Amino acid sequence: MSHTCSHVIFAPERSDLSLLDAPAQALVAGDLVVFPTETVYGLGANALSASAVAKIFAAKKRPATNPLIAHVHSIAQARQLVATWPTEAQVLAEQFWPGPLTLVLHKNDRIPDAATAGRANVALRMPSHPTALALLRACGVPVCAPSANEYMSISPTSAQHVLNSPLADRVSYVVDSGPTSVGVESTVLSLLDPTSPTILRHGMITRQQLEEVLSIPVHAPEHLVHDDSSQGALAPGQAARHYAPKAPVSLVDEIPWEHVTQTMGVLDYTTLPEASDVVMRHSPCLHITLSDLPERYARELYAALHTFDQHDVSQIYIKLPPDEVESWSAVHDRLSRASVSA
Ligand code: AMP
Ligand code: MG
């Protein structure tokens, strides 16, 4: 990589949009730019340029078999990238875009094979974060943007998470708009067969919400296919171990306090006073308590895992949240991947 140091741009949500001109031009020119979306911070590159997209794989050390999501600022821009735009895509985009829903559709030639790992289909999303939308409008090109972390490590939900990581030296700009609001990656839905929509990755938009809008069943395999190497895998890049902190993670129904020592991390949840989503206690271990509301828990989850990494805890116990309600699916998915040993 040619850069030794990235330029950080503070762009709070209502800031002067001209702040985004330089990172937008960098994207058009084929350089890497980290920017916020409502899910996690993304590592962006011009989706129309094979050489720009290749820089994402190099910076993240991401396997070339793992396709990228292209981000757009409008339905019209999405339609320019696909071979067909089924009614189901239109209905879902009108309902959930901008927002944390990614649609997999048959691609056309404008998207280079490098962006889709050689697949004939492309994943598309219109993010709702005002900074992301402003940047996408300013650069005018679709932008591939996987999470701005090295492959297999925890996704960043703040600019600081990126600046603390090796990626900081591999990008031209880091646009900082504070912590993200959703906190876990988008729901990925395949519409390759529009009569049989299939969830490829759980996110905060649930199967139930999708079914209500589509009025047809939406498939959500209980165990999503975990296979990085296979071109045939339903959900490429959904490795069993992913989003994992450095220390081993045990998912438990109750924290085994008798085994917890000072070097360990504990993550649990509780009904909290309105004012605060996170409670940290340092004794007898690094103890982080999140909200028992899935939206709030999801928003803080990765920050909690980053905190455990920063404190080099030796072992992490995580109290499993309830699993009866679909609004916890994304959290359960990420926790199960975080707990697979390396
Ligand atoms: P991320 O790493 O958050 O950018 O998410 C990328 C994920 O979206 C991949 O790991 C896949 O699960 C899914 N995805 C992206 N592109 C495709 C595609 N062309 N076909 C199927 N799934 C895709
Ligand atoms: Mg990722």
Side-chain angles (χ1 to χ4, degrees):
M1 295 280 137
S2 55
H3 304 286
T4 52
C5 167
S6 56
H7 179 176
V8 181
I9 295 185
F10 293 98
E13 286 193 11
R14 275 174 297 279
S15 56
D16 181 356
L17 290 184
S18 65
L19 280 173
L20 299 176
D21 286 350
Q25 280 162 24
L27 282 169
V28 174
D31 291 332
L32 297 178
V33 172
V34 172
F35 64 96
T37 79
E38 71 278 21
T39 60
V40 303
Y41 272 70
L43 175 64
N46 183 344
L48 303 180
S49 160
S51 60
V53 163
K55 292 181 187 173
I56 292 181
F57 287 90
K60 275 182 69 86
K61 305 189 177 142
R62 180 173 169 118
T65 49
N66 194 344
L68 304 173
I69 297 171
H71 293 70
V72 294
H73 58 63
S74 61
I75 292 179
Q77 194 182 27
R79 295 185 67 155
Q80 288 171 8
L81 306 173
V82 296
T84 55
W85 180 255
T87 316
E88 290 74 7
Q90 182 67 23
V91 168
L92 290 172
E94 281 176 11
Q95 181 70 32
F96 294 109
W97 283 6
L101 176 66
T102 295
L103 300 176
V104 176
L105 295 156
H106 297 283
K107 81 177 194 73
N108 65 23
D109 290 344
R110 294 190 68 212
I111 290 279
D113 286 346
T116 65
R119 292 175 168 250
N121 42 64
V122 62
L124 297 171
R125 175 166 108 81
M126 176 177 171
S128 67
H129 195 296
T131 306
L133 280 176
L135 186 63
L136 287 165
R137 289 195 192 103
C139 72
V141 293
V143 172
C144 284
S147 53
N149 54 278
E150 282 199 330
Y151 181 61
M152 288 286 166
S153 56
I154 307 161
S155 302
T157 53
S158 71
Q160 201 55 51
H161 291 153
V162 182
L163 295 171
N164 290 343
S165 81
L167 275 190
D169 294 338
R170 302 176 191 160
V171 303
S172 297
Y173 291 95
V174 175
V175 180
D176 181 351
S177 302
T180 63
S181 60
V182 175
V184 295
E185 295 81 353
S186 58
T187 305
V188 179
L189 183 75
S190 170
L191 286 178
L192 293 178
D193 174 359
T195 63
S196 177
T198 303
I199 290 180
L200 304 183
R201 177 174 72 188
H202 290 291
M204 295 310 284
I205 293 178
T206 62
R207 166 162 68 171
Q208 203 180 337
Q209 286 175 284
L210 296 169
E211 285 184 337
E212 272 166 24
V213 171
L214 286 175
S215 307
I216 53 170
V218 169
H219 305 281
E222 175 91 3
H223 297 288
L224 296 174
V225 180
H226 301 145
D227 185 352
D228 267 357
S229 55
S230 164
Q231 277 290 301
L234 188 59
Q238 291 295 293
R241 178 181 159 85
H242 203 158
Y243 320 105
K246 289 185 272 182
V249 172
S250 302
L251 304 180
V252 292
D253 290 325
E254 293 300 333
I255 302 297
W257 288 108
E258 66 281 11
H259 297 307
V260 174
T261 67
Q262 255 190 324
T263 62
M264 295 185 185
V266 166
L267 181 63
D268 61 5
Y269 58 91
T270 184
T271 316
L272 289 170
E274 280 301 306
S276 134
D277 281 338
V278 188
V279 176
M280 270 218 255
R281 305 184 187 90
H282 269 270
S283 178
C285 61
L286 179 53
H287 180 184
I288 302 179
T289 300
L290 301 182
S291 168
D292 66 347
L293 300 174
E295 293 74 19
R296 291 190 180 194
Y297 188 108
R299 182 163 67 204
E300 303 295 344
L301 171 62
Y302 290 153
L305 299 182
H306 278 285
T307 304
F308 291 138
D309 268 7
Q310 274 152 22
H311 288 257
D312 272 320
V313 298
S314 58
Q315 153 87 36
I316 301 168
Y317 284 110
I318 299 182
K319 180 179 162 78
L320 272 171
D323 62 2
E324 338 45 274
V325 247
E326 280 200 357
S327 42
W328 284 102
S329 320
V331 164
H332 272 273
D333 173 75
R334 303 310 187 271
L335 290 178
S336 69
R337 294 176 207 272
S339 66
V340 173
S341 44

